[in-house]
Amino acid sequence: MRQPTARYQNFLMDSDRWTGFPFRAGDIVISTPGKCGTTWTQMICALLIFQSTDFPQPLDVMSPWPDVFTRKREEVLADLEAQDHRRFLKTHTPLDGLPFDEQVTYVTVGRDPRDVAISFDNHMANTDFDSLMALRAVAIGEPLPAAPGDQALGAVGNGGLAGQAGPAVLPPGVPDPAQSPHQRFWSWIGAEDDFVGLRTMLHHLDTFWQARHLPNVVLLHYDEMKADLDGVMRRLADRLGISVPEDRWPDLVRAAEFTQMKRRAKELAPETVIWRDPDRFFHRGVSGQWRALLDEDDLRRYRERVYALVDPDLVAWIHQAAPLDRP
């Protein structure tokens, strides 16, 4: 097993919690940038593993996030140890921050970053930071430290957080609700921290891009999943060595469609207690939302930023549904 060569740490997670992780042969690690179809991929894996649309547990219990600070690490490991089905886990840690085991399959998902920025903005507006920080405090036993210039949590959302008790701070990377959607988009694009933003997303995908030739590394794309869900699910099943009887495919594919998942939001959305509205976790699930927000000057600035960060071949793969000319 190859040990991680990088550590990723922020207010929400620490990749060091993967140290000494007891992998089993056949484990699946879904490692994606945020808002790139993580829950969708977990759902697809669950459908392929159980070959049923009914599951024994909520999705995020069956497929936990080991390095997140909302649960105690020992509790997550105990739950995983008790599982007798093929295990599938999620993380937002890039590939170089994970132990790499040849008996484990590592899956990522690419998406047009312009859509990711808009989806992330909705995601943050729907987050109940009181509940998130309460879970964090129980899981790791420490508050989020204040820093100069941090915003009060009461500034988040529609008129602030009800029931705010005591001084708290807005975690880094959370959009400022006082800004316009256009300003928040550019804040995400230009972010230089290690939690959110275009640079962080592209780095994550690049760690997989560099390893895409390996037999246990799988790159999926959000737009391909939208255009040909049946085909993507069949290809993933093949890469995972899972055989599905032909008569089961229609029901499994239908269950993985956005509208069907949205109907099961309370069962499928992760950590439902931290969302203002669990149904809104599955917001729109469409591509091209950025077209209504960006003009030609915005697109020129965006092209320059993207090509300054990663290899042109990776840029082309990420933007395959809306090709991005070189600046």
Side-chain angles (χ1 to χ4, degrees):
M1 181 188 297
R2 187 191 72 201
Q3 296 305 311
T5 58
R7 182 179 180 181
Y8 298 88
Q9 188 176 23
N10 55 54
F11 85 95
L12 187 59
M13 53 158 274
D14 183 354
S15 65
D16 193 51
R17 285 169 52 127
W18 282 97
T19 299
F21 186 86
F23 282 119
R24 293 178 187 167
D27 279 350
I28 303 164
V29 176
I30 300 163
S31 164
T32 59
K35 308 315 298 174
C36 284
T38 314
T39 306
W40 197 2
T41 309
Q42 288 174 280
M43 178 64 166
I44 290 171
C45 287
L47 291 164
L48 295 177
I49 289 167
F50 293 103
Q51 300 193 15
S52 170
T53 59
D54 295 319
F55 307 136
Q57 296 174 300
L59 185 61
D60 73 328
V61 175
M62 294 188 301
S63 180
W65 181 0
D67 41 336
V68 72
F69 287 151
T70 56
R71 292 190 65 197
K72 295 177 187 276
R73 181 178 185 270
E74 56 269 25
E75 292 177 356
V76 174
L77 294 181
D79 285 350
L80 286 166
E81 177 62 27
Q83 291 183 354
D84 57 10
H85 57 76
R86 187 170 180 180
R87 304 188 307 184
F88 57 115
L89 307 93
K90 86 168 228 186
T91 183
H92 293 310
T93 292
L95 190 59
D96 61 354
L98 299 170
F100 192 83
D101 189 318
E102 293 181 353
Q103 299 182 92
V104 174
T105 302
Y106 299 82
V107 182
T108 198
V109 185
R111 188 182 184 187
D112 191 315
R114 295 165 290 188
D115 284 316
V116 173
I118 293 171
S119 182
F120 176 79
D121 194 43
N122 171 75
H123 186 71
M124 290 293 100
N126 191 37
T127 301
D128 180 339
F129 284 94
D130 275 342
S131 297
L132 174 59
M133 292 305 164
L135 288 176
R136 183 185 186 277
V138 171
I140 66 173
E142 62 183 52
L144 179 69
D150 280 336
Q151 297 168 271
L153 276 177
V156 181
N158 299 321
L161 295 177
Q164 176 67 38
V169 294
L170 188 65
V174 175
D176 182 352
Q179 293 183 329
S180 69
H182 187 263
Q183 290 172 318
R184 294 196 297 271
F185 175 88
W186 281 109
S187 293
W188 189 89
I189 295 296
E192 293 293 346
D193 63 70
D194 293 326
F195 174 49
V196 297
L198 177 66
R199 185 180 67 84
T200 298
M201 175 191 174
L202 294 181
H203 168 72
H204 190 134
L205 293 177
D206 189 50
T207 64
F208 274 83
W209 187 253
Q210 301 302 325
R212 66 190 184 280
H213 61 284
L214 298 176
N216 62 328
V217 172
V218 180
L219 280 69
L220 306 179
H221 197 287
Y222 194 95
D223 290 328
E224 292 177 346
M225 293 159 73
K226 292 289 294 182
D228 182 15
L229 183 57
D230 181 280
V232 169
M233 289 178 64
R234 288 173 183 269
R235 289 196 299 275
L236 182 58
D238 183 63
R239 292 295 299 273
L240 296 175
I242 295 175
S243 178
V244 178
E246 190 61 35
D247 62 351
R248 293 189 184 178
W249 276 112
D251 287 342
L252 300 185
V253 173
R254 190 177 305 111
E257 293 173 353
F258 178 82
T259 53
Q260 297 299 318
M261 290 184 62
K262 189 175 180 69
R263 290 192 182 104
R264 300 173 65 177
K266 291 181 174 60
E267 175 190 354
L268 301 179
E271 302 283 9
T272 54
V273 68
I274 71 171
W275 310 118
R276 298 176 185 280
D277 178 2
D279 290 343
R280 188 177 167 187
F281 179 84
F282 299 100
H283 184 47
R284 296 182 64 190
V286 299
S287 298
Q289 301 175 69
W290 52 269
R291 297 181 188 278
L293 185 68
L294 307 180
D295 61 21
E296 286 302 316
D297 185 58
D298 290 320
L299 293 176
R300 176 190 57 77
R301 290 174 58 196
Y302 174 75
R303 281 196 300 271
E304 291 174 352
R305 172 74 168 158
V306 170
Y307 276 101
L309 291 172
V310 288
D311 182 85
D313 289 341
L314 177 54
V315 173
W317 179 76
I318 293 170
H319 297 86
Q320 57 187 266
L324 199 66
D325 295 334
R326 296 191 67 167

